[in-house]
Amino acid sequence: MGLLDSLLGAEDRKSIKRKDSDAGEAGCKALEEFRGSFYNEIRTSEGARRQQQRFCGPVVAMSFNFLVAVGIILTNKFVMGKVGFNFPIFLTLIHYTVAWLLLAFFKALSWLPVSPPSKTTPSSALFSLGAIMAFASGLANTSLKYNSVGFYQMAKIAVTPTIVLAECILFRRTISLKKVLALAVVSAGVAVATVTDLEFNAFGACIAVAWIIPSAVNKILWSNLQQQANWTALALMWKTTPITIFFLVALMPWLDPPGVLLFKWDINNVSAILVSALLGFLLQWSGALALGATSATSHVVLGQFKSCVILLGGYLLLDSDPGVVSLSGAVVALAGMSVYTSLNLKESKEGSTKQIPMQNPVSKAKTSENAKTSENGSEGSTVKNTTIEV
């Protein structure tokens, strides 16, 4: 440093220090601007929605939902089977209560995305969504308890045409003939693959039929509010979960058997139920992300894909033998899902291409002509007047 000081004069050293100081101040200013812009992006509903789309696209959201759905199926089978907790509505109530507590924790830490302004979404829409979600989730678990697996799968297959019909009636959305044929192939393949027993129970059949419409409308509303009203998954869950809890409490005396207080609430059983509840929160969150990134119909197809993958996975990895007919149905269903997915990707690509504005060659020629005439003052004034008149 002594040699450097001797070579540089006092003015040079001051100039270097000033440049270093200016560079440091510029870097700090840029960092502060970045932090401020990122904070503003997160603290608005539009920015939070863009962040959700950026970090959780269709592939990530549907993969996340698929993995959690498989995990909660195995966990709920353990809870209702080995643990013996045969209270489906109360189990759903525990799921949503734990979800609400986690959301309240996120809210306290300011991790919860901002909700859109209240004037953009009527409170009646949020109330309806919370109530419908209670019926959809509660009746699904009740149907699984009282019906055979085959009858339960038939009810799930009926959700697909119900969604297509409901979207056509409520939002005037039409679906192409190719997609209709692909969905028909998917439904037929899933029916052949999974419907192995159709044990009929009058009460269970009524529950399954009553579950179809709430399940379809629930998926449509979740998808529409996120895509049209800038809601994020967590913000919408925070608003609707208390309403869902209220309606589950009202449903519990009607659909659950008595004796929940007599259940053996030891540490092992409680731990299993809490694990199921945590997976239930992740399932609700991942399902909302998938509905926000895709559509209600695509989410139902994902559920059917899950059933086929579980069946084929059991055959390939666990030496189960569902039969040639069931395996053939699963393969046909997966082929139909592949066609439906490719049609969706093709339509989204065409839609994004149409959104790119095409510049007219005539307008380009006019622009270049105006640029040339603008060099002359009088001609430039004529161009300005012409532009104002147009």
Side-chain angles (χ1 to χ4, degrees), residues 127-192:
F127 182 84
S128 300
L129 179 57
I132 291 171
M133 190 160 43
F135 283 93
S137 302
L139 292 177
N141 286 336
T142 307
S143 175
L144 186 59
K145 177 186 176 182
Y146 287 100
N147 291 311
S148 62
V149 176
F151 201 94
Y152 178 75
Q153 290 293 340
M154 286 296 293
K156 287 181 65 177
I157 293 171
V159 174
T160 304
T162 305
I163 288 178
V164 174
L165 181 61
E167 286 186 333
C168 181
I169 295 174
L170 296 176
F171 304 106
R172 299 293 187 268
R173 293 176 184 170
T174 57
I175 186 171
S176 63
L177 179 60
K178 292 181 180 179
K179 279 190 175 183
V180 171
L181 294 176
L183 291 175
V185 171
V186 171
S187 300
V190 172
V192 173

Side-chain angles (χ1 to χ4, degrees), residues 148-158 186-200 304 307-308 311 322-323 325-330 333:
S148 62
V149 176
F151 201 94
Y152 178 75
Q153 290 293 340
M154 286 296 293
K156 287 181 65 177
I157 293 171
V186 171
S187 300
V190 172
V192 173
T194 59
V195 179
T196 55
D197 57 328
L198 286 175
E199 298 177 5
F200 184 80
Q304 295 171 344
S307 301
C308 294
L311 188 146
V325 176
S326 295
L327 292 175
S328 301

Side-chain angles (χ1 to χ4, degrees), residues 4-233:
L4 182 62
D5 290 339
S6 62
L7 293 176
L8 296 176
E11 294 297 328
D12 293 333
R13 290 196 299 270
K14 290 181 180 179
S15 177
I16 292 175
K17 290 181 180 179
R18 191 180 302 113
K19 289 180 180 179
D20 291 340
S21 177
D22 292 341
E25 291 178 359
C28 293
K29 186 177 180 181
L31 182 60
E32 290 298 327
E33 289 178 354
F34 173 76
R35 288 176 179 175
S37 62
F38 183 77
Y39 180 79
N40 292 332
E41 182 81 1
I42 293 296
R43 300 310 298 173
T44 61
S45 59
E46 295 85 358
R49 172 68 181 151
R50 285 193 295 269
Q51 291 296 328
Q52 177 176 300
Q53 291 176 335
R54 183 181 304 169
F55 294 105
C56 194
V59 176
V60 175
M62 298 185 78
S63 301
F64 181 30
N65 183 241
F66 172 77
L67 294 175
V68 176
V70 173
I72 198 171
I73 285 175
L74 299 176
T75 305
N76 282 349
K77 282 186 176 181
F78 177 79
V79 170
M80 292 186 178
K82 292 187 176 181
V83 175
F85 192 79
N86 295 317
F87 307 96
I89 301 295
F90 189 60
L91 181 61
T92 309
L93 176 62
I94 294 174
H95 286 188
Y96 280 95
T97 303
V98 171
W100 185 79
L101 292 175
L102 289 174
L103 291 171
F105 178 71
F106 294 161
K107 180 76 172 178
L109 296 179
S110 299
W111 291 352
L112 204 65
V114 176
S115 303
S118 57
K119 62 181 180 180
T120 60
T121 305
S123 57
S124 58
L126 298 176
F127 182 84
S128 300
L129 179 57
I132 291 171
M133 190 160 43
F135 283 93
S137 302
L139 292 177
N141 286 336
T142 307
S143 175
L144 186 59
K145 177 186 176 182
Y146 287 100
N147 291 311
S148 62
V149 176
F151 201 94
Y152 178 75
Q153 290 293 340
M154 286 296 293
K156 287 181 65 177
I157 293 171
V159 174
T160 304
T162 305
I163 288 178
V164 174
L165 181 61
E167 286 186 333
C168 181
I169 295 174
L170 296 176
F171 304 106
R172 299 293 187 268
R173 293 176 184 170
T174 57
I175 186 171
S176 63
L177 179 60
K178 292 181 180 179
K179 279 190 175 183
V180 171
L181 294 176
L183 291 175
V185 171
V186 171
S187 300
V190 172
V192 173
T194 59
V195 179
T196 55
D197 57 328
L198 286 175
E199 298 177 5
F200 184 80
N201 180 288
F203 180 73
C206 292
I207 294 294
V209 172
W211 167 75
I212 293 173
I213 293 179
S215 177
V217 175
N218 177 50
K219 295 178 184 299
I220 292 172
L221 290 179
W222 270 96
S223 179
N224 187 68
L225 284 176
Q226 290 188 78
Q227 295 181 6
Q228 303 296 329
N230 288 324
W231 282 90
T232 59

